Amino acid sequence: MSLTLNIIEHEFAAAGEVERTEQGNPSFKGARLFLGAGCPVEEGFLYICNSAESALELAGRGLFCVYVDEGGAGAAPAAAISVKGSAGMLPVFNLVLDVFSRYEAWEREMDRLAAQPGCLQQLVDASEPFLKNNTVVVDPALKLLAYTRGIPCDDPITMELVSHGYHTEENIRKFKLHKRFKPWSEQEGFIVNDTREICKYVTVVRSFKTREGFSLIIVMMCNVAEPQGWLLDAYNMFAERVGVVAEREYPDDKPSGNAVDSFLKDLLGGQIREERSIRERGKCAGIPYEARFCLFYIPLDPKTGPVERVLSDLSIMAAPAKTLMVGAAAVILCFNCHDSCCALHCEAGTCPLGRRSLSARLDSFLGRYELLCGRSAKFTCLAHAPVAFRQAQQACRLGGMRRGVPSRISTPRFNWGRIVSFDRCCMDYLAEGCPDGLELALRTYAGLVVDALAADDAHTGTDNYTFLYEYLMNERRASVVAEKLHMHRNNVKYRIDRIEELFGIDTDDPALRFDVLIAYRLREASFVQDAQ
């Protein structure tokens, strides 16, 4: 146990007028009287003396002392602290011993509590007499874990946190607006905020980090004592014990609020490959080996918000699907669909469980947080999850590239606003990996027809490019095409006959129809590549 000079100086205020000459903040493991020449000394102790000569001698030995001015001679420049107006050297010495005793007892109690699970509230209770101020401890989801119960609080944000047990969406919006999450995720040590923009008092924040984001966050609201040196030193003693809890209970690979399953992390990372191991470990994790699976990949940035709060909400929203953190992204493994007739990618908007489909719910959720999600193709065997994980990653990346690139053809029905399916962008993936091949593929007969359609539209102001695509995508059903393009069904036959005549194609040829649709997708992929 050691005490800083800042704390000792603060405690001396009760002994009389205090003058400090030492600008540093050394720490001491105890205090001793210095009775003059010949008195044994030891490094690491603070000495109490009552003569300027003794203070000078101690300074010459590289030691620190408190000079007790009993005769009104004034401060001793060689002393770290001079105390004037006290009853004498012995009362000052007794005061210092009492300070060491109280802080040592506090540290012993904190060390005892920190070794126990669920000790955060007890740590806060034990620290209340030393920190003086209201203090709260929250987890990565900004859920309240502990708070100061014996000191009145009149700050609205803190009172609301205590009342609800977590920070509300409105409070999180304020934190994001005032860019609070960025320093919490980047800076080490204390973050003192005296702007009073959110809290009506100065706050001192200490955050503990994992590879994925935050683990625990301590916020001290200085509603009683200002954040002077002594208070920050005492706060640091408290924070060191909270750090022990954070390291033990919120390790890097499994932060709070994260429904991490080590089996899924091993599976997605390729550490498990044998069918037997996948079956056995999947069963223990409550995941079937065969089902109608779909995997979602959602990058999360700790600088924009509380990652664990988002992850916690995702876990609740997606259940019984499994939600976990992999790297800096949330991953959802969905096997909610038990009906063999379940449509591809939930385009029907319904779920066999009787709720909105996961895609529909997730799309709304992503809009609230302005997030983008990649989705794998459907798969039916859990062993294929690593491939699905890579598909979802690429879909998310390519979807971000495609956003903002204009398109004249409609999106296939199994795509959502913020969920990008790999089935939809696989052509982009292939084109990106083989740019020379893309150029050659665009020069096929079907590719030249599609290019000619686009060029003719630009010259004449027609929309044959879009019309032919919709006609082929809707399986040449005139009534469906007419309704979608807001035209009479008789005009559909006229338009397609005219296109066939102008561009020399026969839409009755199934091979040509297939080639033309592929050419459309390749042309759209080329737009994305050009935009990059």
Side-chain angles (χ1 to χ4, degrees):
M1 201 280 299
S2 62
L3 283 187
T4 65
L5 191 63
N6 286 338
I7 293 176
I8 295 170
E9 178 193 17
H10 169 71
E11 296 288 346
F12 273 152
E17 183 179 340
V18 178
E19 183 175 342
R20 177 173 174 173
T21 55
E22 171 58 41
Q23 299 304 310
N25 188 32
S27 297
F28 307 99
K29 57 186 177 183
R32 291 178 178 176
L33 283 174
F34 184 75
L35 302 177
C39 181
V41 294
E42 183 180 346
E43 289 186 358
F45 283 85
L46 179 67
Y47 287 89
I48 313 299
C49 64
N50 59 357
S51 71
E53 292 77 14
S54 295
L56 188 62
E57 181 179 343
L58 288 166
R61 300 188 190 185
L63 302 172
F64 298 89
C65 73
V66 174
Y67 168 62
V68 181
D69 182 12
E70 297 179 340
I81 294 176
S82 297
V83 182
K84 182 180 180 180
S86 65
M89 184 171 65
L90 287 179
V92 171
F93 180 58
N94 288 333
L95 172 63
V96 176
L97 292 180
D98 179 66
V99 171
F100 273 94
S101 177
R102 285 190 292 110
Y103 277 84
E104 184 177 7
W106 176 39
E107 282 202 315
R108 281 201 308 269
E109 177 66 5
M110 287 197 295
D111 289 341
R112 183 185 69 82
L113 293 172
Q116 303 174 8
C119 63
L120 288 172
Q121 184 59 58
Q122 293 170 293
L123 276 174
V124 173
D125 292 342
S127 304
E128 186 177 306
F130 297 88
L131 300 183
K132 312 295 183 182
N133 294 315
N134 279 103
T135 304
V136 298
V137 182
V138 297
D139 72 1
L142 299 189
K143 175 184 176 183
L144 181 66
L145 299 179
Y147 69 100
T148 302
R149 298 185 286 194
I151 298 176
C153 174
D154 61 351
D155 174 63
I157 293 288
T158 306
M159 294 170 66
E160 192 175 44
L161 171 62
V162 172
S163 174
H164 288 86
Y166 57 88
H167 275 302
T168 62
E169 294 289 346
E170 176 61 22
N171 288 349
I172 293 175
R173 187 191 66 79
K174 293 178 182 177
F175 295 148
K176 293 173 69 174
L177 179 65
H178 294 285
K179 298 182 173 70
R180 294 295 174 86
F181 293 115
K182 184 175 181 179
W184 292 358
S185 65
E186 292 181 347
Q187 295 183 24
E188 299 294 335
F190 301 126
I191 302 172
V192 180
N193 190 300
D194 57 2
T195 63
R196 305 174 193 262
E197 292 170 331
I198 299 177
C199 178
K200 64 186 292 186
Y201 300 99
V202 175
T203 59
V204 184
V205 178
R206 174 72 180 272
S207 62
F208 299 90
K209 303 170 184 64
T210 68
R211 287 195 302 266
E212 325 303 17
F214 306 119
S215 54
L216 294 179
I217 304 172
I218 316 170
V219 182
M220 180 173 66
M221 178 183 64
C222 299
N223 61 324
V224 176
E226 293 299 317
Q228 299 173 349
W230 69 271
L231 180 59
L232 294 180
D233 290 348
Y235 186 55
N236 188 56
M237 294 167 68
F238 167 70
E240 286 178 354
R241 275 68 185 185
V242 176
V244 171
V245 178
E247 186 175 355
R248 181 183 69 237
E249 299 185 10
Y250 305 87
D252 276 347
D253 61 344
K254 201 169 185 179
S256 172
N258 186 349
V260 169
D261 189 310
S262 60
F263 159 65
L264 283 179
K265 297 193 77 172
D266 290 345
L267 177 64
L268 299 180
Q271 282 78 32
I272 313 175
R273 299 180 184 274
E274 295 182 0
E275 177 182 338
R276 181 179 176 181
S277 297
I278 296 174
R279 283 184 180 275
E280 290 179 350
R281 292 188 61 182
K283 185 177 180 179
C284 293
I287 304 174
Y289 185 74
E290 295 179 346
R292 297 179 67 82
F293 292 107
C294 197
L295 190 141
F296 300 84
Y297 181 90
I298 309 166
L300 300 178
D301 186 350
K303 298 178 184 178
T304 61
V307 169
E308 298 307 328
R309 175 63 173 271
V310 176
L311 192 63
S312 177
D313 291 346
L314 275 174
S315 300
I316 296 171
M317 183 270 296
K322 299 294 184 180
T323 306
L324 65 152
M325 284 293 288
V326 178
V331 172
I332 301 174
L333 178 67
C334 176
F335 48 96
N336 294 357
C337 302
H338 303 293
D339 189 342
S340 60
C341 297
C342 182
L344 178 66
H345 291 315
C346 315
E347 75 266 29
T350 58
C351 176
L353 298 180
R355 299 183 293 174
R356 296 171 64 206
S357 69
L358 177 57
S359 292
R361 286 177 281 141
L362 182 58
D363 200 53
S364 299
F365 178 89
L366 296 170
R368 284 163 43 199
Y369 288 94
E370 298 183 357
L371 297 171
L372 188 66
C373 172
R375 180 181 56 205
S376 72
K378 290 274 188 179
F379 59 105
T380 57
C381 178
L382 190 56
H384 298 160
V387 173
F389 176 65
R390 291 166 54 199
Q391 287 179 335
Q393 279 184 309
Q394 295 300 326
C396 187
R397 181 182 64 83
L398 293 166
M401 293 168 56
R402 181 172 277 279
R403 291 176 76 87
V405 178
S407 174
R408 293 173 59 190
I409 63 175
S410 61
T411 303
R413 63 177 184 258
F414 51 85
N415 206 41
W416 297 77
R418 290 185 173 271
I419 305 175
V420 183
S421 168
F422 187 76
D423 296 86
R424 173 65 183 90
C425 62
C426 64
M427 199 66 70
D428 292 353
Y429 181 70
L430 293 173
E432 182 184 59
C434 187
D436 292 338
L438 175 61
E439 183 179 358
L440 293 176
L442 288 171
R443 293 295 178 266
T444 61
Y445 174 69
L448 294 174
V449 169
V450 171
D451 281 348
L453 278 164
D456 187 68
D457 282 352
H459 178 68
T460 62
T462 56
D463 62 346
N464 288 329
Y465 179 91
T466 303
F467 176 83
L468 180 59
Y469 176 78
E470 294 296 344
Y471 181 74
L472 298 178
M473 277 296 293
N474 289 282
E475 300 174 335
R476 302 187 297 164
R477 292 176 293 179
S479 58
V480 175
V481 176
E483 181 180 356
K484 191 165 187 179
L485 298 181
H486 308 291
M487 59 191 302
H488 195 277
R489 67 184 310 274
N490 291 338
N491 288 338
V492 174
K493 182 66 168 64
Y494 170 79
R495 288 280 300 273
I496 199 63
D497 288 344
R498 182 64 174 161
I499 290 173
E500 288 182 340
E501 178 184 351
L502 286 173
F503 297 96
I505 60 174
D506 179 8
T507 57
D508 287 333
D509 182 350
L512 179 62
R513 293 200 302 270
F514 176 81
D515 290 345
V516 169
L517 283 175
I518 291 293
Y520 271 105
R521 298 288 292 276
L522 286 172
R523 196 169 193 273
E524 293 295 309
S526 72
F527 293 157
V528 177
Q529 295 304 309
D530 291 343
Q532 299 308 309

